Amino acid sequence: MRTLVKPGRSYWFVFTATMVVFTATFLLPLAWVLVGAMKPPAELARIPPTVLPETWVPETYADAWNFMDLGRYFLNTLVVAVGSWAVQLAVAVPAAYALSKLRPLLGNVVLGLMLATLMLPAAALLVPMYLTISDLGLLNSPTAIWFPAAANAFNIYLLKRFFDQIPDELLEAARMDGAGPVTTLVRIVVPISRPVLAVVSIFAVVAAWKDFIWPLLVFSDPAEQTLSVALQRFAPDTPINLLLAGLVLASLPMVALFLAFQRHILAGLTAGGIKG
């Protein structure tokens, strides 16, 4: 029989040191931005910098919200993110279900071609995508974000791999009860797939919320711009503490979303089968 060897002090020292270093690497920049927004501009520009504000200015966040009219851009970004999420699910779920369970002719070829698009650099797609959106007259419209986001090969592949784990016997039983492909998808497959749907939803919303290059190209009208584009436009003429406050406010919804659904993300990424 093998004997279990308990980790020694050196192991716990290395483990603890590694965790502290990685945690500090991720959290210190966030803490600096959060606290830096509450410093006056002159103190922010001081060398060497102060760790904590000598003069606390917490009203900076309210001033940033009013100065940059962030409410408008929050609403624009919310419309873009929610629409992008809905369109991606509307396209990815039926496509993955068809490739996984309906098995159409040349389905593997179609899947391979979709996965091949992941090898293309995103910058190479900007020009043809922009020309297409421009020809359709969709510039300065949320649909300019929604339609390109619908064709997400990674999400389709992720959903297909999960659908592959659903027993065919379960779907066959639904067919024997008279359920068609659409009914089977809606009433059987989708409820079972809530963990992976949560993962895809998080990916879709976060990607749309933080995207910068594509919204910068398609939203030339300042009134229609998203948060990331608006903050970049305000940067040259905005006090640095107000700009930092705007960055913090823009990131809070995504941080809250991750904290609220982190269990679903882990469950969806590690789901490898379905228990009977």
Side-chain angles (χ1 to χ4, degrees):
M1 296 179 62
R2 294 182 180 180
T3 56
L4 298 177
V5 179
K6 295 183 178 180
R9 293 183 179 180
S10 59
Y11 167 83
W12 288 112
F13 174 79
V14 173
F15 175 79
T16 303
T18 302
M19 291 299 297
V20 169
V21 170
F22 274 90
T23 303
T25 301
F26 284 101
L27 293 184
L28 285 180
L30 298 177
W32 185 89
V33 173
L34 183 66
V35 176
M38 291 184 281
K39 297 179 181 180
E43 187 177 345
L44 270 173
R46 184 184 305 174
I47 299 178
T50 56
V51 177
L52 295 176
E54 295 179 355
T55 304
W56 290 85
V57 191
E59 60 270 17
T60 302
Y61 289 98
D63 294 341
W65 182 275
N66 297 323
F67 180 80
M68 293 182 281
D69 193 16
L70 292 182
R72 174 200 297 271
Y73 302 110
F74 262 97
L75 180 60
N76 291 346
T77 309
L78 182 64
V79 171
V80 166
V82 172
S84 180
W85 162 76
V87 171
Q88 285 191 53
L89 287 188
V91 173
V93 172
Y97 174 69
L99 292 171
S100 175
K101 295 304 180 183
L102 302 184
R103 299 181 179 89
L105 183 64
L106 300 178
N108 290 333
V109 176
V110 174
L111 179 62
L113 292 175
M114 286 193 297
L115 294 178
T117 62
L118 297 177
M119 304 298 108
L120 297 174
L125 302 175
L126 290 178
V127 173
M129 285 171 52
Y130 180 84
L131 293 177
T132 302
I133 293 299
S134 179
D135 291 341
L136 293 175
L138 300 179
L139 296 178
N140 291 312
S141 169
T143 52
I145 306 292
W146 298 347
F147 287 168
N152 192 308
F154 176 76
N155 285 345
I156 293 176
Y157 178 73
L158 188 64
L159 288 166
K160 179 187 178 299
R161 292 296 299 170
F162 188 91
F163 292 165
D164 288 343
Q165 306 299 321
I166 299 178
D168 292 334
E169 293 80 5
L170 182 63
L171 305 186
E172 186 62 30
R175 294 191 194 100
M176 293 179 64
D177 290 338
V182 176
T183 303
T184 302
L185 172 63
V186 174
R187 295 189 177 182
I188 304 297
V189 175
V190 170
I192 290 175
S193 307
R194 282 180 294 180
V196 73
L197 290 177
V199 173
V200 171
S201 298
I202 296 295
F203 286 168
V205 172
V206 171
W209 191 276
K210 69 182 182 65
D211 195 13
F212 172 73
I213 295 296
W214 184 240
L216 178 65
L217 292 177
V218 299
F219 290 134
S220 58
D221 183 0
E224 301 295 333
Q225 290 175 345
T226 58
L227 271 170
S228 58
V229 179
L231 288 171
Q232 183 271 341
R233 179 168 55 85
F234 281 113
D237 303 317
T238 303
I240 185 63
N241 60 335
L242 294 184
L243 185 61
L244 291 179
L247 292 172
V248 172
L249 293 173
S251 64
L252 285 180
M254 294 301 98
V255 173
L257 188 68
F258 174 78
L259 293 177
F261 293 99
Q262 58 179 327
R263 291 186 178 180
H264 297 278
I265 296 174
L266 295 175
L269 290 176
T270 58
I274 298 176
K275 297 181 180 180

Short mmCIF file of all heavy atoms in Angstrom, two decimals, residues 225-253:
data_model
loop_
_atom_site.label_atom_id
_atom_site.label_comp_id
_atom_site.label_asym_id
_atom_site.label_seq_id
_atom_site.Cartn_x
_atom_site.Cartn_y
_atom_site.Cartn_z
N GLN A 225 -22.31 56.05 -28.57
CA GLN A 225 -21.10 55.32 -28.21
C GLN A 225 -21.26 54.56 -26.90
O GLN A 225 -22.09 54.89 -26.05
CB GLN A 225 -19.92 56.28 -28.11
CG GLN A 225 -19.48 56.83 -29.46
CD GLN A 225 -18.39 57.87 -29.34
OE1 GLN A 225 -18.12 58.39 -28.26
NE2 GLN A 225 -17.74 58.17 -30.46
N THR A 226 -20.44 53.52 -26.76
CA THR A 226 -20.42 52.72 -25.54
C THR A 226 -19.46 53.33 -24.52
O THR A 226 -18.73 54.29 -24.82
CB THR A 226 -20.01 51.27 -25.85
OG1 THR A 226 -18.73 51.28 -26.47
CG2 THR A 226 -21.02 50.61 -26.79
N LEU A 227 -19.43 52.76 -23.33
CA LEU A 227 -18.60 53.30 -22.26
C LEU A 227 -17.12 53.34 -22.62
O LEU A 227 -16.45 54.35 -22.39
CB LEU A 227 -18.79 52.46 -20.99
CG LEU A 227 -19.91 52.87 -20.04
CD1 LEU A 227 -20.11 51.79 -18.99
CD2 LEU A 227 -19.61 54.21 -19.39
N SER A 228 -16.60 52.25 -23.16
CA SER A 228 -15.17 52.19 -23.46
C SER A 228 -14.77 53.26 -24.46
O SER A 228 -13.71 53.89 -24.32
CB SER A 228 -14.80 50.80 -23.99
OG SER A 228 -15.56 50.49 -25.16
N VAL A 229 -15.60 53.50 -25.46
CA VAL A 229 -15.29 54.52 -26.47
C VAL A 229 -15.46 55.91 -25.89
O VAL A 229 -14.65 56.82 -26.13
CB VAL A 229 -16.18 54.33 -27.71
CG1 VAL A 229 -15.89 55.40 -28.75
CG2 VAL A 229 -15.97 52.94 -28.30
N ALA A 230 -16.51 56.12 -25.12
CA ALA A 230 -16.76 57.44 -24.54
C ALA A 230 -15.66 57.86 -23.58
O ALA A 230 -15.21 59.02 -23.59
CB ALA A 230 -18.11 57.45 -23.83
N LEU A 231 -15.18 56.93 -22.75
CA LEU A 231 -14.12 57.25 -21.81
C LEU A 231 -12.84 57.63 -22.55
O LEU A 231 -12.11 58.55 -22.13
CB LEU A 231 -13.86 56.06 -20.88
CG LEU A 231 -14.95 55.80 -19.84
CD1 LEU A 231 -14.69 54.48 -19.12
CD2 LEU A 231 -15.03 56.94 -18.83
N GLN A 232 -12.55 56.94 -23.65
CA GLN A 232 -11.37 57.30 -24.45
C GLN A 232 -11.54 58.69 -25.06
O GLN A 232 -10.58 59.46 -25.14
CB GLN A 232 -11.15 56.24 -25.53
CG GLN A 232 -9.92 56.45 -26.40
CD GLN A 232 -10.21 57.31 -27.62
OE1 GLN A 232 -11.36 57.47 -28.01
NE2 GLN A 232 -9.17 57.88 -28.19
N ARG A 233 -12.74 59.04 -25.47
CA ARG A 233 -12.99 60.34 -26.08
C ARG A 233 -12.87 61.45 -25.04
O ARG A 233 -12.38 62.55 -25.35
CB ARG A 233 -14.38 60.35 -26.72
CG ARG A 233 -14.76 61.67 -27.38
CD ARG A 233 -16.01 61.50 -28.24
NE ARG A 233 -17.11 60.93 -27.50
CZ ARG A 233 -17.96 61.65 -26.75
NH1 ARG A 233 -17.79 62.97 -26.64
NH2 ARG A 233 -18.96 61.07 -26.12
N PHE A 234 -13.29 61.19 -23.81
CA PHE A 234 -13.21 62.20 -22.76
C PHE A 234 -11.80 62.35 -22.18
O PHE A 234 -11.50 63.37 -21.55
CB PHE A 234 -14.16 61.85 -21.61
CG PHE A 234 -15.60 62.22 -21.87
CD1 PHE A 234 -16.57 61.23 -22.01
CD2 PHE A 234 -15.98 63.54 -21.97
CE1 PHE A 234 -17.89 61.56 -22.25
CE2 PHE A 234 -17.30 63.89 -22.21
CZ PHE A 234 -18.27 62.90 -22.35
N ALA A 235 -10.94 61.37 -22.39
CA ALA A 235 -9.65 61.33 -21.71
C ALA A 235 -8.80 62.59 -21.86
O ALA A 235 -8.25 63.08 -20.87
CB ALA A 235 -8.86 60.10 -22.17
N PRO A 236 -8.64 63.16 -23.07
CA PRO A 236 -7.72 64.31 -23.19
C PRO A 236 -8.16 65.54 -22.40
O PRO A 236 -7.30 66.34 -21.98
CB PRO A 236 -7.73 64.59 -24.70
CG PRO A 236 -8.17 63.32 -25.33
CD PRO A 236 -9.14 62.72 -24.38
N ASP A 237 -9.46 65.73 -22.20
CA ASP A 237 -9.96 66.96 -21.58
C ASP A 237 -10.57 66.74 -20.21
O ASP A 237 -11.27 67.62 -19.70
CB ASP A 237 -11.01 67.61 -22.50
CG ASP A 237 -10.47 67.89 -23.89
OD1 ASP A 237 -9.32 68.38 -24.00
OD2 ASP A 237 -11.19 67.60 -24.87
N THR A 238 -10.31 65.60 -19.59
CA THR A 238 -10.92 65.28 -18.31
C THR A 238 -9.85 65.18 -17.23
O THR A 238 -8.80 64.57 -17.48
CB THR A 238 -11.69 63.94 -18.39
OG1 THR A 238 -12.67 64.04 -19.42
CG2 THR A 238 -12.37 63.62 -17.07
N PRO A 239 -10.05 65.77 -16.05
CA PRO A 239 -9.08 65.59 -14.96
C PRO A 239 -8.84 64.11 -14.68
O PRO A 239 -9.77 63.30 -14.77
CB PRO A 239 -9.76 66.30 -13.77
CG PRO A 239 -10.67 67.30 -14.40
CD PRO A 239 -11.15 66.68 -15.68
N ILE A 240 -7.61 63.78 -14.35
CA ILE A 240 -7.23 62.38 -14.23
C ILE A 240 -8.02 61.66 -13.15
O ILE A 240 -8.35 60.46 -13.31
CB ILE A 240 -5.70 62.28 -13.95
CG1 ILE A 240 -5.26 60.82 -13.94
CG2 ILE A 240 -5.34 62.99 -12.67
CD1 ILE A 240 -5.44 60.10 -15.23
N ASN A 241 -8.35 62.33 -12.05
CA ASN A 241 -9.11 61.65 -11.01
C ASN A 241 -10.53 61.33 -11.47
O ASN A 241 -11.09 60.28 -11.13
CB ASN A 241 -9.12 62.46 -9.72
CG ASN A 241 -9.75 63.83 -9.90
OD1 ASN A 241 -9.78 64.39 -11.00
ND2 ASN A 241 -10.25 64.40 -8.82
N LEU A 242 -11.14 62.22 -12.27
CA LEU A 242 -12.46 61.93 -12.80
C LEU A 242 -12.41 60.78 -13.80
O LEU A 242 -13.33 59.95 -13.85
CB LEU A 242 -13.04 63.18 -13.48
CG LEU A 242 -13.35 64.38 -12.58
CD1 LEU A 242 -14.01 65.49 -13.39
CD2 LEU A 242 -14.24 63.98 -11.41
N LEU A 243 -11.35 60.73 -14.58
CA LEU A 243 -11.21 59.64 -15.54
C LEU A 243 -11.05 58.30 -14.84
O LEU A 243 -11.66 57.29 -15.24
CB LEU A 243 -10.02 59.90 -16.46
CG LEU A 243 -9.82 58.91 -17.60
CD1 LEU A 243 -11.02 58.91 -18.53
CD2 LEU A 243 -8.55 59.22 -18.37
N LEU A 244 -10.24 58.27 -13.77
CA LEU A 244 -10.09 57.03 -13.00
C LEU A 244 -11.42 56.62 -12.37
O LEU A 244 -11.76 55.42 -12.35
CB LEU A 244 -9.03 57.22 -11.92
CG LEU A 244 -7.58 57.36 -12.38
CD1 LEU A 244 -6.66 57.57 -11.19
CD2 LEU A 244 -7.15 56.15 -13.19
N ALA A 245 -12.17 57.58 -11.87
CA ALA A 245 -13.48 57.26 -11.30
C ALA A 245 -14.40 56.68 -12.36
O ALA A 245 -15.16 55.74 -12.09
CB ALA A 245 -14.09 58.51 -10.68
N GLY A 246 -14.35 57.24 -13.56
CA GLY A 246 -15.16 56.70 -14.65
C GLY A 246 -14.78 55.27 -15.00
O GLY A 246 -15.64 54.43 -15.27
N LEU A 247 -13.48 54.97 -14.99
CA LEU A 247 -13.02 53.61 -15.26
C LEU A 247 -13.52 52.63 -14.19
O LEU A 247 -13.91 51.50 -14.50
CB LEU A 247 -11.49 53.58 -15.34
CG LEU A 247 -10.87 54.31 -16.52
CD1 LEU A 247 -9.35 54.37 -16.36
CD2 LEU A 247 -11.24 53.64 -17.84
N VAL A 248 -13.48 53.06 -12.94
CA VAL A 248 -13.97 52.21 -11.85
C VAL A 248 -15.47 51.94 -12.02
O VAL A 248 -15.93 50.80 -11.91
CB VAL A 248 -13.68 52.85 -10.48
CG1 VAL A 248 -14.36 52.06 -9.37
CG2 VAL A 248 -12.18 52.91 -10.24
N LEU A 249 -16.23 53.00 -12.28
CA LEU A 249 -17.68 52.83 -12.44
C LEU A 249 -18.00 51.93 -13.62
O LEU A 249 -18.94 51.13 -13.56
CB LEU A 249 -18.33 54.21 -12.62
CG LEU A 249 -18.29 55.14 -11.40
CD1 LEU A 249 -18.82 56.52 -11.77
CD2 LEU A 249 -19.10 54.54 -10.25
N ALA A 250 -17.23 52.04 -14.71
CA ALA A 250 -17.49 51.23 -15.89
C ALA A 250 -17.20 49.75 -15.64
O ALA A 250 -17.82 48.88 -16.27
CB ALA A 250 -16.64 51.73 -17.06
N SER A 251 -16.27 49.46 -14.73
CA SER A 251 -15.90 48.06 -14.48
C SER A 251 -16.75 47.38 -13.41
O SER A 251 -16.79 46.15 -13.34
CB SER A 251 -14.42 47.98 -14.06
OG SER A 251 -14.21 48.66 -12.83
N LEU A 252 -17.45 48.16 -12.60
CA LEU A 252 -18.20 47.58 -11.48
C LEU A 252 -19.26 46.57 -11.93
O LEU A 252 -19.40 45.50 -11.30
CB LEU A 252 -18.85 48.69 -10.66
CG LEU A 252 -17.91 49.50 -9.75
CD1 LEU A 252 -18.70 50.56 -8.99
CD2 LEU A 252 -17.18 48.58 -8.77
N PRO A 253 -20.06 46.82 -12.98
CA PRO A 253 -21.08 45.82 -13.36
C PRO A 253 -20.49 44.46 -13.71
O PRO A 253 -21.05 43.43 -13.36
CB PRO A 253 -21.77 46.47 -14.58
CG PRO A 253 -21.57 47.93 -14.39
CD PRO A 253 -20.21 48.06 -13.78
#
